[in-house]
Amino acid sequence: MRKLGKTGLLVHEIGLGGIPLQRIDAETTRAIILEMRKWGANVIDTARGYTVSEKLIGEAIRGFREDFYIFTKSGARTRAEMERDIEFSLNELGTNYIDLYQLHNVKNLEEYHLIMGGAGAYEALVAAKERGQIGHIGITTHNLDLLLAIIDDCPFETIQFPYNILETQAAELFRKAAAKDIGIIVMKPLAGGALQNPRLALKFILNNPDIAVTIPGMESVELAKENLAIVNEPLTDTEWEEITKTRSLLGNDFCRRCGYCLPCSAGIDIPTCFTFEGYYTRYNLQEWAVARYATLEKHASDCINCRVCVDRCPYGLAIPEKMQQVESVFKF
Ligand code: SF4
Ligand code: SF4
C-alpha cells in the first residue's frame, strides 16, 4: 500500500483502469473486481467519457462499496456541465460519494484557465467537495508543460499522467509533486498496448517510489491475477537489458491508443490499425494481424489525408503518414 499524497488515502499499488470495461460485460467486470478484492487492491479509476464503465463498476461493487476507492473524471469545462456530470457519475456508480473526482484530459493552459476561472468546472468540484459528494479533486492530462506550469501552485490533491518504460519524461515532475505531497496516479502503464510484457512494465513503474498507484486495464480475471501478483522488488540486470532493448525498438513514435484522434473523417479506427501493424512488424504475429486487420470496416488505404486527426493527437504523431506505413504493411 502507498499513501496517495495529501488525500491520505492508502492505496494498493495496482488499481483498475476503467477504459477496457467498455469492451466486456457486467459478469466479467464483477469477477475482476472480486478478484481485486481478494488481493486487497482497492482503487478503480474510470471516467464519464468511458460510456458504460461507471455503470458496470457501480453494479460490480454493490454490497461492498466501502472496500474500494472510486476515482472518476469528467471532460466538463464549465461549472454547469461539471455539476451535471458529477450527478451523472454518482447515479451511474450507484453511490452517494466519489473518493476522487478529476478534471479529465486538460489539454493546455487555455483550457486550464477556463476551468479555473469564474463559472468554470473547478467551482463545481469545490462545491461538491463541500457538500460531501466527492472526497478529493485531481487533474489528468497528457501535457507535461501544463503540469510544469501549475505545479508550484497546484490546487489539486492528485495528478494523473502517463509513465512507463517508454515514457519517463514526467519523472522530474513526479519528484517535485511528491515533495509537495501531491498524489501521483500513473496512466498508460503499458504505453497503450505497445508494451507486451505487463510484468516488466508494472515492475518498472513500482520501482519509482514517487508513484502511488498505476491503473492498468484488466479485461479478464486471469490478467488481473497476473498483474496483482507482481511484487515490488528491484529490477534484475536481465530486466534492465530488456527495457533497453524495448526502448530502442519502439522509441517515442508510437500510438498510445488514447483514442483522442477519433472520429476519423474516413471512419478508420486509427489506434486499432496501429495496433495490428505493431503486432505484424514488432511481435511476430503476422498471420494473426492480417486476419484481424481484414475484419476492420475501413483500412489505412481509406485515409483521405484530411489531417484533422493530427491536431487531436496529444503525442504529435504524423497519423496520415503512419497510415501510409500501415497500408504498405497490409497492402490495403
Ligand atoms: S488524415 Fe486520414 S486518418 Fe486522419 S482523420 Fe483524416 S482520413 Fe482519418
Ligand atoms: S494516434 Fe495519437 S491520438 Fe490517436 S490513439 Fe494514437 S496516440 Fe492517441
Side-chain angles (χ1 to χ4, degrees), residues 42-152:
N42 60 355
V43 168
I44 302 173
D45 182 272
T46 181
R48 263 302 38 252
Y50 303 162
T51 60
V52 295
S53 179
E54 285 181 332
K55 199 169 184 56
L56 288 174
I57 291 164
E59 286 166 8
I61 58 170
R62 204 168 292 155
F64 46 85
R65 157 73 184 91
E66 66 287 350
D67 291 351
F68 286 93
Y69 293 130
I70 304 294
F71 302 172
T72 192
K73 43 187 130 43
S74 155
R77 299 300 182 237
T78 65
R79 178 176 182 136
E81 286 167 358
M82 185 58 92
E83 278 170 354
R84 187 203 57 201
D85 272 6
I86 293 168
E87 285 303 325
F88 214 93
S89 292
L90 287 164
N91 278 332
E92 293 287 276
L93 288 160
T95 184
N96 57 7
Y97 177 79
I98 290 165
D99 297 280
L100 174 69
Y101 213 100
Q102 303 156 101
L103 294 160
H104 193 178
N105 188 28
V106 182
K107 291 195 185 67
N108 48 44
L109 269 177
E110 201 184 334
E111 260 191 22
Y112 181 75
H113 290 312
L114 183 70
I115 288 163
M116 304 305 284
Y122 186 66
E123 282 183 0
L125 290 172
V126 172
K129 189 175 172 185
E130 283 166 5
R131 284 195 301 273
Q133 287 180 310
I134 63 176
H136 307 280
I137 302 173
I139 184 169
T140 83
T141 181
H142 294 251
N143 182 341
L144 184 63
D145 289 340
L146 170 66
L147 287 182
L148 288 169
I150 66 170
I151 198 70
D152 284 333

Side-chain angles (χ1 to χ4, degrees), residues 20-35:
L21 301 183
Q22 298 173 94
R23 299 194 284 269
I24 62 178
D25 57 18
E27 207 182 315
T28 315
T29 304
R30 186 163 167 97
I32 292 166
I33 288 175
L34 283 170
E35 185 62 33

